[in-house]
Amino acid sequence: MDSIIFDLDGTLWDSSKTVLTAWNEILRKKDGINELTVEDLQGTMGLQMHEIGKKLFPSLDDQAREQLLQECGDLENVYLENSGGILYDSVEETLEALSEKYKLYIVSNCQEGYIETFYKYHQLEKYFLDFENPGRTGLSKGENIKLVIERNSLSNPVYVGDTEGDLKAARYAGIPFVYATYGFGKVEDYDFAITSFAELKQLF
């Protein structure tokens, strides 16, 4: 193994409370649209933005939904840059240890600018060599994983995530999947499992 590619939400941090505050600030100004709960947001983890929009705002047409998601995403990035999310236990010390042995990357289903807020607020960019997301490429998570692998000439990576979508993306890219059981999803098929982020130091 030469590298580890990480999912972000439910794997490295939980940003749902900060995101919820931002989204509900937008939604309160919209007629006929209810505010969201943390459970609403957590139920969309692992989905791409257009899938999230259809699940949360099924009554809107595609254009209105896209515009609303753009507004929510823009304000979300502002809030996250100022407030961050909740890092899971031992994330930084584990990343520091892993980065001494492996190349580290992030591939997340998020809008452009989201991973950058994670880097900026928590000062963790120094541990990662590259990242990708559909907000920048328009590709699926599996395609973005393959893009990172090809772009960085990785020969034997693994993907760490917490949802069924993460599993499918890893399988699409043809690499092993490490299931973060402490995250948001339920996954039955995986190559390895961890119950805390720090366990990656023992696993690898």
Side-chain angles (χ1 to χ4, degrees):
M1 191 179 84
D2 66 335
S3 52
I4 307 172
I5 307 172
F6 294 94
D7 171 51
L8 183 47
D9 295 317
T11 301
L12 293 167
W13 75 348
D14 178 357
S15 67
S16 54
K17 289 185 178 180
T18 304
V19 172
L20 183 69
T21 301
W23 281 46
N24 280 339
E25 182 174 324
I26 297 293
L27 297 181
R28 278 193 292 271
K29 303 172 185 176
K30 306 294 183 181
D31 292 333
I33 301 179
N34 295 326
E35 293 184 35
L36 301 173
T37 66
V38 170
E39 290 74 23
D40 290 330
L41 283 182
Q42 291 181 346
T44 68
M45 295 301 178
L47 301 178
Q48 289 201 358
M49 289 303 293
H50 70 277
E51 296 171 321
I52 292 173
K54 288 181 179 179
K55 184 169 184 176
L56 295 179
F57 312 115
S59 64
L60 298 181
D61 61 41
D62 289 345
Q63 183 176 354
R65 191 183 295 125
E66 184 176 342
Q67 181 178 343
L68 179 58
L69 289 174
Q70 184 67 51
E71 290 181 53
C72 289
D74 288 345
L75 188 60
E76 171 186 318
N77 284 347
V78 173
Y79 270 63
L80 286 170
E81 189 170 310
N82 292 317
S83 301
I86 300 171
L87 291 180
Y88 290 111
D89 290 343
S90 304
V91 161
E92 180 160 14
E93 64 185 68
T94 302
L95 288 174
E96 183 177 12
L98 292 173
S99 67
E100 294 174 359
K101 299 169 61 179
Y102 305 106
K103 301 172 183 177
L104 307 183
Y105 305 88
I106 294 177
V107 173
S108 175
N109 273 344
C110 60
Q111 73 272 19
E112 190 169 6
Y114 184 84
I115 297 173
E116 292 91 328
T117 67
F118 168 77
Y119 283 163
K120 186 171 183 179
Y121 185 84
H122 294 289
Q123 299 294 302
L124 296 175
E125 184 173 8
K126 58 183 174 287
Y127 299 116
F128 297 96
L129 299 177
D130 196 4
F131 69 90
E132 202 51 88
N133 60 76
R136 192 161 70 171
T137 66
L139 302 174
S140 70
K141 179 172 279 189
E143 291 169 324
N144 280 325
I145 291 173
K146 291 185 73 172
L147 182 62
V148 166
I149 291 171
E150 293 164 4
R151 190 161 67 204
N152 294 278
S153 301
L154 307 182
S155 60
N156 192 20
V158 300
Y159 188 71
V160 183
D162 67 305
T163 68
E164 186 73 20
D166 294 332
L167 167 68
K168 291 178 180 177
R171 294 288 184 255
Y172 177 88
I175 63 175
F177 175 66
V178 181
Y179 172 35
T181 64
Y182 55 83
F184 300 124
K186 297 295 182 184
V187 181
E188 299 297 330
D189 180 29
Y190 48 83
D191 299 292
F192 307 96
I194 53 172
T195 59
S196 69
F197 194 78
E199 283 185 26
L200 286 171
K201 291 186 291 184
Q202 284 73 51
L203 184 61
F204 300 126

